[in-house]
Amino acid sequence: RIYPLMRVTLTTSDGASVTVSRQLTKHSGFIEKAITDMAVDDNAVPLSAVAVDVDDATLKLVIEWLTEHRDDALPYPEKTDEERRADDIPAWDQAFVQKWDTKEDQQQTLYAVITAADKLDIKGLLDMTCKTLANKINGKTVEEMREILQLECDFTEEELAEIRKENAWCEN
Amino acid sequence: MDIFALPDVFFRQLMRKMEMKDRLALRLTCRAFEKLVAGTHAGCFIRGFIHVVRRNGTLTVALGDAKFKGVKSTKGAFEQILHLRKRLFCGISFKLFELNIHSCKLIHNFTRNLTDNFHMDQILFRLMTDSQLEKYLKLIADFPRSKFIMNICTLSEIDKLLSLPQMECLKVRSPNETQISADLFLKLLQTHVHLALNDSPIFLSYDEWLMAMQTISADSRDRTVIFEMKSNSVVNCLRDFGISDTTNGHCGEFLEIHNILATPHGYASFRFRYRNCWIRIACDHSMDGQSLWTGRDAVCAVSMTNAQAGF
């Protein structure tokens, strides 16, 4: 049973406590499991022992996303064999990601939210962040991909030439 | 935070959304991504195919947006393609994968190696020569979880159709006017989900026609059969059912009878329902004033289905 008025207190890795409605946390497989494992049956659930490494700033973003998506259907549909697409991110989610300030901050914030979505087992948020990064690199050149993903090329010139030669079978 | 600190589940999900051209580019970014590309599933693509270009014997292979064109049928060329395929993904899914390949052992082995770890919802085989059939049957055995579609453009020994396992859709053209007997027709109808038999009018008796309708009607799956008959054979069956050119509405077990003399496309059509089977008979001789009932040797297209929505 889900009690919409029930409150859940989450303690972050940097010591902050955030209290949210159970209506939001039902989207987190991790928190749902924690609540079930604790076998609580009242309207105040302390979750100070939740052992996830998520800081306060990231958790606030996660809660903001959960608030917007509180009415999303559950369980989140499995999409393993559906056609690839990353162009169906809702407008609110796009704006949510875009407002993360400077380019470098945006990438770091994105990675932090991805990590939080994974640890808290929020499938919808993980899916959205995954699509966001996919959209950033789709159709980009090798150099642009390196810049976006902040990668250092650790190939030798010979190795690069060999991979290009292999790829050429597909590019003709 | 370094991108490689992100969880594995994220990378697996991300790599399922990459187009092949992006996987090719990602291979060149750094060693870690080259390894990631090779070790992840490429996701699900709508369509892929392996086709032999008949005029020069080369192969065209399409894996989603990745195309290998003009591949010569040599061991060396195939090894290069297979090597690249192994570095591009560890698994891939297709809604539909088409095969139109020679029966030669080299191409057959290449196809088997290339499609290792492929999941294909449906595999479409195009059969242009008799010799392809045996190889296709071996490939079918490799993919027990797939559904199969076979388009047969020629088959000199028509009874070989009986060797086919269940097809989601079997289309047979008989350009040599090879006769498909009523017995063979009914056996194919029992085996395959959707059946289309063209260029070879079938002669069905009253009992055989009734059996076909009962088979379609009783099946819980969506079923369709399309075939050709001479209009005088059709009329004989209909008259045996008690239906004539003046019947409209219903007649015994036959319901929703509509006799349409000419459609905007120049076809005369006759439709009715038997239990859960909808039947449509179309003749293209309305232009010279003939109808189904007077067309004699004219060829009619008969379709039977239990999926009313698609009728």
Side-chain angles (χ1 to χ4, degrees):
Chain A
R1 283 191 298 169
I2 298 292
Y3 303 91
L5 296 177
M6 189 184 281
R7 311 291 285 176
V8 179
T9 301
L10 305 173
T11 304
T12 62
S13 59
D14 46 1
S17 286
V18 184
T19 302
V20 292
S21 154
R22 179 81 189 275
Q23 199 181 0
L24 304 189
T25 60
K26 69 183 180 183
H27 292 274
S28 163
F30 181 89
I31 297 170
E32 280 302 298
K33 188 172 182 302
I35 292 169
T36 307
D37 289 351
M38 288 166 71
V40 293
D41 195 22
D42 56 32
N43 60 1
V45 183
L47 274 181
S48 55
V50 172
V52 288
D53 183 21
V54 177
D55 63 25
D56 185 39
T58 306
L59 189 61
K60 279 182 179 150
L61 289 173
V62 171
I63 290 167
E64 189 181 346
W65 186 89
L66 285 172
T67 304
E68 176 64 20
H69 289 268
R70 63 190 175 279
D71 296 325
D72 285 4
L74 287 171
Y76 193 76
E78 292 290 332
K79 294 181 175 178
T80 51
D81 254 357
E82 282 202 350
E83 187 200 351
R84 68 190 13 67
R85 61 177 305 181
D87 59 350
D88 56 349
I89 301 175
W92 187 92
D93 287 19
Q94 288 180 40
F96 174 63
V97 173
Q98 278 166 9
K99 70 183 181 186
W100 295 341
D101 296 325
T102 66
K103 195 175 176 185
E104 190 178 339
D105 282 351
Q106 188 186 50
Q107 201 73 345
Q108 287 303 311
T109 306
L110 179 63
Y111 290 174
V113 173
I114 289 167
T115 307
D118 174 56
K119 290 188 172 174
L120 294 170
D121 190 15
I122 305 171
K123 291 187 169 57
L125 182 56
L126 188 66
D127 191 41
M128 186 277 285
T129 49
C130 181
K131 285 175 180 175
T132 299
L133 192 58
N135 285 337
K136 281 170 178 257
I137 56 180
N138 270 343
K140 296 291 190 295
T141 65
V142 176
E143 286 71 26
E144 287 168 336
M145 284 179 175
R146 281 198 198 114
E147 191 185 340
I148 293 164
L149 301 171
Q150 294 157 7
L151 303 172
E152 288 291 324
C153 178
D154 51 2
F155 288 121
T156 64
E157 281 304 316
E158 291 74 24
E159 286 169 331
L160 278 175
E162 182 60 29
I163 296 173
R164 283 197 194 98
K165 192 176 156 192
E166 289 170 5
N167 283 358
W169 279 92
C170 194
E171 292 171 331
N172 54 7
Chain B
M1 185 192 290
D2 189 89
I3 188 169
F4 296 109
L6 294 178
D8 287 347
V9 63
F10 171 77
F11 283 112
R12 287 199 299 274
Q13 210 166 316
L14 177 74
M15 295 310 289
R16 278 178 172 267
K17 298 189 190 305
M18 293 291 106
E19 297 296 336
M20 285 294 178
K21 65 178 184 330
D22 296 318
R23 295 183 83 91
L24 289 163
L26 281 169
R27 291 189 72 210
L28 288 155
T29 56
C30 65
R31 288 176 200 278
F33 258 96
E34 199 278 336
K35 196 176 167 191
L36 181 72
V37 168
T40 48
H41 196 283
C44 183
F45 289 85
I46 295 290
R47 184 170 174 258
F49 62 79
I50 304 174
H51 284 177
V52 169
V53 180
R54 301 220 161 253
R55 83 188 125 77
N56 59 15
T58 62
L59 248 65
T60 301
V61 179
L63 307 175
D65 61 309
K67 269 197 181 150
F68 305 81
K69 287 181 181 172
V71 181
K72 289 180 181 166
S73 300
T74 63
K75 195 177 170 191
F78 288 163
E79 279 173 357
Q80 295 284 349
I81 302 284
L82 290 172
H83 172 73
L84 180 54
R85 172 248 183 272
K86 280 204 169 79
R87 300 310 303 167
L88 265 183
F89 52 81
C90 68
I92 192 166
S93 301
F94 292 96
K95 295 287 179 197
L96 177 71
F97 200 84
E98 295 181 29
L99 286 172
N100 181 6
I101 56 171
H102 283 319
S103 55
C104 95
K105 194 174 176 183
L106 194 62
I107 293 178
H108 179 72
N109 286 342
F110 167 71
T111 303
R112 289 183 95 163
N113 288 327
L114 185 78
T115 55
D116 186 35
N117 277 342
F118 277 26
H119 173 83
M120 298 173 276
D121 287 350
Q122 294 192 318
I123 307 176
L124 189 158
F125 298 94
R126 293 188 191 279
L127 195 134
M128 314 296 281
T129 63
D130 280 29
S131 59
Q132 288 173 296
L133 185 59
E134 189 188 339
K135 299 292 185 190
Y136 284 168
L137 289 175
K138 283 183 180 167
L139 284 169
I140 284 172
D142 287 348
F143 296 97
R145 290 193 299 153
S146 299
K147 291 180 175 175
F148 306 105
I149 299 169
M150 191 171 283
N151 289 354
I152 298 179
C153 293
T154 182
L155 191 65
S156 57
E157 293 177 57
I158 205 77
D159 284 344
K160 281 190 174 173
L161 290 174
L162 294 172
S163 67
L164 297 175
Q166 184 185 80
M167 296 284 151
E168 187 64 16
C169 182
L170 175 66
K171 293 182 183 177
V172 183
R173 297 188 64 180
S174 306
N176 302 329
E177 296 185 1
T178 312
Q179 193 64 49
I180 293 179
S181 68
D183 182 52
L184 178 58
F185 167 77
L186 290 171
K187 281 176 179 163
L188 295 176
L189 188 61
Q190 294 291 344
T191 307
H192 307 292
V193 181
H194 299 287
L195 189 60
L197 307 169
N198 297 319
D199 302 330
S200 174
I202 298 165
F203 294 90
L204 297 181
S205 68
Y206 165 92
D207 289 331
E208 290 156 347
W209 181 297
L210 194 62
M211 198 180 294
M213 291 191 297
Q214 286 169 344
T215 301
I216 298 279
S217 175
D219 205 315
S220 58
R221 301 165 300 174
D222 281 359
R223 299 279 311 266
T224 304
V225 57
I226 299 168
F227 57 100
E228 293 178 346
M229 282 184 76
K230 294 278 179 69
S231 61
N232 50 4
S233 302
V234 173
V235 168
N236 287 342
C237 287
L238 293 177
R239 288 200 169 122
D240 287 344
F241 295 145
I243 299 171
S244 73
D245 57 344
T246 57
T247 308
N248 262 307
H250 69 276
C251 172
E253 280 199 274
F254 303 95
L255 307 169
E256 301 172 26
I257 300 170
H258 297 283
N259 191 359
I260 301 164
L261 293 178
T263 67
H265 308 293
Y267 284 80
S269 96
F270 190 79
R271 290 182 292 165
F272 61 101
R273 175 162 75 88
Y274 171 80
R275 297 181 186 172
N276 195 35
C277 177
W278 282 261
I279 301 99
R280 179 168 57 196
I281 304 152
C283 310
D284 65 352
H285 48 245
S286 58
M287 298 302 282
D288 60 7
Q290 293 180 309
S291 75
L292 165 70
W293 303 93
T294 56
R296 295 191 166 279
D297 280 348
V299 174
C300 302
V302 181
S303 57
M304 298 180 180
T305 182
N306 59 3
Q308 188 187 12
F311 192 59

